Amino acid sequence: MSVKKKKTRTVTLVLVVRNEERGLGEMLPKIPLNIYKDVFAIDGNSKDRTRDILRDAGIRTYVQKSPGLGAAMLEARQYVKTDSFIFFHPDGNENPEDLDGMAGILRDGADFVVASRMIRGAWNEEDEKILKWRKWANIGFAVLANLFFAHNGNKTTDVTNGFRGISTDAFDRMRLSSVDLTMDYQMVIRALKLNIRITEFPTREGERIGGNTNFPSMSTGIAELKLLGREIKMGRRTARGAQ
């Protein structure tokens, strides 16, 4: 009796960039481009040499049609032809050494993979500080997401890390609609609502190469709370898409 071999998923790497000339110069040599079926970049209308560097590296680049982090992620889906894909921001915060492992988890059949900075073995950029405002806020938003939407043992620990991989089927099932910085949180909430299993592994957060984050903490927190309110109002097990 023959045993049918399980299909290995194909994976695309999506680089999300905006004015990452410095980051790309340091990070590109560390990214294992040859392990993916496809690699491309979504560029948020960079004003520096970001697109030139990507072109010289042989990476095709699509310029965003609409502004916003979420818009970049939604537009990226249009160009993905593989079974799954990874979002990676080459700005120094995310660890390229974890890319091979994340790709392997997706190939083995995981639907949604998040590199967590909040679990045993992980490192958050605020771990050496006494006051960890961003880390505590992230933990708080994870607690709220689990409280309102988690079921069947499916939970989250890191809701704002953009370093994540997902199957195309899971992404489409989520019917995502956030076009701004709340997209990462919406993806996690929709995964919990639909019981799309979240697979996490510990990662080490590095120092941003190009300076400070583009997302101020206060305005980001307010936006996340508003998204949470909309998702609660929509229903605990509902994902209606664009609103």
Side-chain angles (χ1 to χ4, degrees):
M1 180 179 177
S2 61
V3 178
K4 186 176 180 181
K5 187 177 180 180
K6 183 179 179 181
K7 177 186 175 184
T8 301
R9 282 183 177 156
T10 52
V11 186
T12 290
L13 176 64
V14 180
L15 301 178
V16 182
V17 297
R18 182 172 181 268
N19 295 326
E20 293 297 349
E21 179 177 347
R22 289 180 58 194
L24 285 170
E26 185 170 330
M27 300 297 288
L28 264 184
K30 301 177 181 179
I31 298 175
L33 300 175
N34 61 339
I35 70 173
Y36 299 97
K37 180 75 172 180
D38 191 19
V39 179
F40 66 85
I42 294 290
D43 175 62
N45 291 273
S46 294
K47 305 302 181 184
D48 60 8
R49 296 188 60 254
T50 292
R51 290 194 294 276
D52 294 333
I53 294 172
L54 291 167
R55 182 196 61 222
D56 292 344
I59 300 172
R60 74 182 188 281
T61 304
Y62 302 97
V63 179
Q64 275 185 245
K65 299 180 179 66
S66 301
L69 174 63
M73 297 167 77
L74 290 169
E75 288 181 28
R77 172 65 184 93
Q78 302 173 25
Y79 307 113
V80 174
K81 306 300 181 185
T82 53
D83 303 314
S84 59
F85 54 112
I86 292 172
F87 290 111
F88 184 78
H89 303 72
D91 57 10
N93 277 153
E94 299 171 6
N95 189 354
E97 294 180 4
D98 291 330
L99 281 165
D100 194 357
M102 181 175 283
I105 295 171
L106 288 169
R107 290 191 186 99
D108 287 343
D111 277 317
F112 187 30
V113 187
V114 177
S116 176
R117 302 160 296 178
M118 307 298 169
I119 57 180
R120 184 183 297 274
W123 177 262
N124 180 277
E125 65 177 357
E126 291 184 329
D127 279 343
E128 290 184 336
K129 298 180 180 180
I130 296 175
L131 299 176
K132 306 174 177 61
W133 300 118
R134 290 179 62 250
K135 180 174 182 177
W136 293 338
N138 191 318
I139 292 172
F141 282 119
V143 169
L144 290 172
N146 290 327
L147 176 66
F148 285 106
F149 309 112
H151 60 295
N152 294 336
N154 191 25
K155 294 185 178 181
T156 182
T157 66
D158 193 338
V159 300
T160 61
N161 193 7
F163 184 16
R164 53 187 59 194
I166 190 167
S167 70
T168 52
D169 176 69
F171 190 93
D172 294 344
R173 285 175 58 201
M174 288 179 182
R175 302 178 66 183
L176 300 161
S177 60
S178 289
V179 296
D180 58 12
L181 50 83
T182 62
M183 171 61 96
D184 291 333
Y185 197 20
Q186 187 181 52
M187 287 180 71
V188 170
I189 289 175
R190 294 287 172 91
L192 294 174
K193 283 186 174 187
L194 300 171
N195 200 33
I196 295 171
R197 186 63 52 180
I198 301 173
T199 302
E200 296 182 333
F201 67 87
T203 191
R204 295 185 64 85
E205 184 175 29
E207 184 177 348
R208 181 174 170 82
I209 297 169
N212 295 326
T213 177
N214 293 318
F215 305 133
S217 297
M218 185 62 69
S219 58
T220 298
I222 293 172
E224 305 283 25
L225 284 173
K226 289 181 177 178
L227 172 77
L228 178 66
R230 292 195 299 271
E231 292 290 337
I232 292 172
K233 185 177 180 180
M234 184 185 303
R236 289 194 169 193
R237 304 290 178 258
T238 305
R240 290 201 298 263
Q243 303 164 46

